[in-house]
Amino acid sequence: MDPAHPAAVDLYWIPLGAGGHSVRFNGRVYEAIVAARRHRERRDLYHAAMVVELGGDRFTIELAPSPDAREAGRGVVATGPVGARWAGRLRLFRYEVRCWRGGSIPDLAEAAGGPNRVSADPEEARRLLDLVPAVPTPVWGRDELRAGEGWNSNSVISWLIASAGLPVESLRPPRNGRAPGWDAGLAVARRCGFPRIAVPGGSGAHGVNLPDGGGLRRGEHAYRPQSTRSKEES
């Protein structure tokens, strides 16, 4: 983070399947089908992720598959089903929303163009962090919220940015790129009326698996220093 700024909200565009040949291949097949149906040229697909720095802490925010039950250690604040709501009972068909203090994002170094600075304002960074536990968690890949396209990781990031009242007009994937689900997040945020200030335990916060020091706890501010939290809990 630039030492001249006390906070930073950075968006990253990671090529779909960076570091994973299977995901990249499946993404290309999907894009080929969509392009053929819409009679347009194929585009490169991107996955959005975000890094927020505030008060000396660094938080990584993304949606990812749920690999195991050790959710606290990677800052999980919410989970949702993949493919069908009933399938979410099995971890194989479950995704998780992470707001991970000091965490990492796979393939972040592969992001096209590096970080895109969305904001350097501390209040805006706090507001966005407070919203993470309230992010909607519909079925991944389906349009349960009737936003015009399936919900995915891009939807989560665009929903957070728009709901926090940050500028979204100029945030687009690199040239000839596409981020499926991005517009769905914007549509749902507009429907809710943004900017929004998250209320602990508010919309979307039910069913949160409460993490320990690795991430957020429902009902508390993400940006509070770890030392302060420890004193209040003791």
Side-chain angles (χ1 to χ4, degrees):
M1 182 173 62
D2 187 338
H5 298 290
V9 178
D10 291 327
L11 171 69
Y12 292 81
W13 294 112
I14 303 173
L16 184 67
H21 297 291
S22 175
V23 175
R24 185 186 303 114
F25 175 77
N26 291 335
R28 287 176 176 173
V29 171
Y30 165 78
E31 174 60 11
I33 294 173
V34 172
R37 287 179 176 176
R38 298 181 180 178
H39 305 287
R40 62 165 174 77
E41 295 183 356
R42 301 178 189 178
R43 300 177 185 173
D44 299 323
L45 300 184
Y46 288 89
H47 155 69
M50 182 172 288
V51 175
V52 177
E53 299 195 39
L54 182 66
D57 284 324
R58 180 178 184 272
F59 298 86
T60 57
I61 301 173
E62 67 167 345
L63 181 152
S66 181
D68 54 53
R70 297 188 293 273
E71 297 170 347
R74 54 183 180 270
V76 176
V77 297
T79 62
V82 174
R85 187 155 297 280
W86 61 266
R89 299 172 184 172
L90 302 176
R91 186 168 300 280
L92 180 63
F93 298 101
R94 194 183 310 163
Y95 67 81
E96 55 189 38
V97 178
R98 301 172 185 169
C99 187
W100 190 356
R101 185 194 302 266
S104 61
I105 296 177
D107 306 314
L108 192 65
E110 303 294 327
N116 296 271
R117 181 61 48 87
V118 180
S119 175
D121 182 89
E123 289 304 318
E124 292 179 341
R126 290 187 185 100
R127 188 158 68 235
L128 189 144
L129 288 172
D130 280 344
L131 277 163
V132 182
V135 68
T137 54
V139 175
W140 185 94
R142 296 181 59 181
D143 189 12
E144 280 194 325
L145 302 181
R146 298 185 179 181
E149 59 181 340
W151 190 267
N152 59 23
S153 58
N154 295 325
S155 311
V156 168
I157 298 300
S158 64
W159 184 92
L160 283 170
I161 295 172
S163 295
L166 304 184
V168 295
E169 294 78 11
S170 62
L171 299 178
R172 291 294 171 184
R175 187 175 180 179
N176 197 44
R178 193 167 74 87
W182 180 266
D183 290 338
L186 298 182
V188 174
R190 292 191 183 100
R191 188 184 306 161
C192 296
F194 63 79
R196 298 175 55 195
I197 304 299
V199 177
S203 174
H206 60 282
V208 172
N209 295 295
L210 307 184
D212 54 17
L216 310 183
R217 288 180 185 273
R218 183 173 57 187
E220 73 176 8
H221 296 295
Y223 56 85
R224 287 168 57 198
Q226 182 69 37
S227 57
T228 302
R229 292 171 55 195
S230 300
K231 291 179 181 178
E232 292 181 2
E233 293 167 359
S234 58

